[in-house]
Amino acid sequence: METDIPGFLLSVYQHLGVKYPKFYKMDNLAKLGWLATEVLLKDFDKAKYQPTDIGVVLTNAGSSLDADKRYYESVQDIASPALFVYTLPNIVIGEICIRHHFKGENAFYIFDGFNADFVNNYVSILLETGQLQACICGWVEMAATGYKAVLFLVEKDKKENAILFDAAGIEKRFIAVGFNQR
Amino acid sequence: MDKLMADLKEQIIEQLNLQDVKPEDIGDDQPLFGDGLGLDSIDALELIVLLQQKYKVKLSNAEDGPKIFRSVRTIAEFIESNKIPNA
């Protein structure tokens, strides 16, 4: 079955009713991460934090390969600068940070599969050392044939009914949405 | 010149993925960068590619960029004054 990924991403953007012209210029990976973050932060009161208090730590397996391939094809003619800027996976984080004015620690890591231990350790250190008060974490993967985005928000201050941030709990939830058990 | 400016508006919209913008939304003398159409530095590079690919016109001096890319009219004037005859 052929998947119309650009069509799907556009329909989600239109459904959200957000006016953000730069969305159209993003590659599919950035669009996916950007849209997933819009949904994740729908009810999040970011005003209670300083811009430097909020970070983004994302992971995937394919890096920016989807944009890399498109760029490789485009250089047969004159290379597109607009496409070139998306040939790094962390650009998705940049788009999220620009949109929400986040200025905290951010990083994009490549793993074979989602690594709950790593994300838990890394983000816990950022929160415990006071470098961040909140962090958007997860997995954003884009390929020509499919995509996957699973994001979650971690906050240093414990909220009522909040889910405990630990590796086993994160892994359990990722397995529940189709990730392989290690 | 009017025909060239109309073509340019369509090309700019297509090349820069300005999907919320229609050709009639872009004034002939409207600033393209900053407070005008809100284009950025990557868009400027895309415009250089557009001139080279579509109109076979090369920007030889980068310092002339801000003057040339000020508006659709200034781009059209640059194309007119630099195009290769019969190209």
Side-chain angles (χ1 to χ4, degrees):
Chain A
M1 190 179 80
E2 198 171 310
T3 311
D4 178 15
I5 294 173
F8 166 73
L9 295 170
L10 180 61
S11 68
V12 176
Y13 172 75
Q14 289 168 337
H15 174 76
L16 292 175
V18 185
K19 276 279 179 192
Y20 197 78
K22 198 166 184 286
F23 174 83
Y24 298 114
K25 300 185 181 200
M26 297 177 199
D27 77 324
N28 287 341
L29 177 69
K31 283 179 178 172
L32 180 65
W34 189 94
L35 289 168
T37 307
E38 286 295 304
V39 175
L40 178 72
L41 301 184
K42 190 166 62 72
D43 300 316
F44 174 58
D45 177 20
K46 65 185 176 192
K48 65 186 174 184
Y49 296 117
Q50 294 296 314
T52 50
D53 288 340
I54 306 172
V56 185
V57 176
L58 299 180
T59 61
N60 76 7
S63 184
S64 57
L65 196 58
D66 183 54
D68 296 350
K69 284 179 180 171
R70 290 175 206 279
Y71 181 72
Y72 176 75
E73 286 159 15
S74 80
V75 296
Q76 310 299 325
D77 197 1
I78 299 177
S80 162
L83 196 50
F84 176 70
V85 295
Y86 288 100
T87 57
L88 284 172
N90 53 329
I91 301 304
V92 60
I93 293 178
E95 296 291 6
I96 292 166
C97 290
I98 290 167
R99 161 72 171 154
H100 297 281
H101 308 289
F102 298 154
K103 294 179 179 172
E105 172 86 8
N106 64 75
F108 199 109
Y109 290 94
I110 314 296
F111 292 108
D112 288 339
F114 183 71
N115 189 329
D117 286 330
F118 176 86
V119 172
N120 180 55
N121 285 336
Y122 184 69
V123 175
S124 293
I125 290 169
L126 293 173
L127 296 171
E128 284 163 15
T129 56
Q131 292 182 66
L132 294 181
Q133 297 298 316
C135 189
I136 293 156
C137 312
W139 179 272
V140 183
E141 182 77 281
M142 177 58 66
T145 51
Y147 55 87
K148 196 158 211 165
V150 182
L151 300 186
F152 56 96
L153 175 70
V154 185
E155 290 182 87
K156 188 173 181 178
D157 288 341
K158 194 180 174 189
K159 304 283 181 305
E160 201 177 337
N161 300 324
I163 298 164
L164 183 67
F165 179 52
D166 67 357
I170 302 166
E171 184 155 312
K172 192 175 137 190
R173 284 171 177 82
F174 270 69
I175 290 168
V177 292
F179 282 76
N180 294 330
Q181 192 155 15
R182 282 177 292 162
Chain B
M1 180 71 96
D2 286 346
K3 168 81 169 65
L4 177 56
M5 287 197 290
D7 285 348
L8 264 175
K9 288 174 189 178
E10 286 185 10
Q11 293 290 332
I12 288 170
I13 288 168
E14 188 186 333
Q15 188 92 359
L16 306 185
N17 265 325
L18 305 176
Q19 295 190 23
D20 286 337
V21 180
K22 296 183 180 66
E24 56 268 31
D25 296 334
I26 306 173
D28 296 344
D29 299 297
Q30 178 186 353
L32 297 176
F33 293 84
D35 294 336
L37 204 56
L39 304 186
D40 60 23
S41 57
I42 300 298
D43 294 323
L45 292 173
E46 285 290 340
L47 287 176
I48 293 170
V49 172
L50 171 68
L51 292 193
Q52 203 167 322
Q53 262 180 335
K54 171 84 180 167
Y55 299 98
K56 314 297 179 202
V57 172
K58 267 193 172 182
L59 182 72
S60 51
N61 187 356
E63 289 176 5
D64 293 337
K67 195 172 64 184
I68 294 164
F69 294 123
R70 195 173 63 224
S71 68
V72 170
R73 187 185 302 280
T74 55
I75 297 174
E77 286 169 351
F78 177 72
I79 293 169
E80 284 288 335
S81 58
N82 287 275
K83 68 182 178 188
I84 302 163
N86 301 320

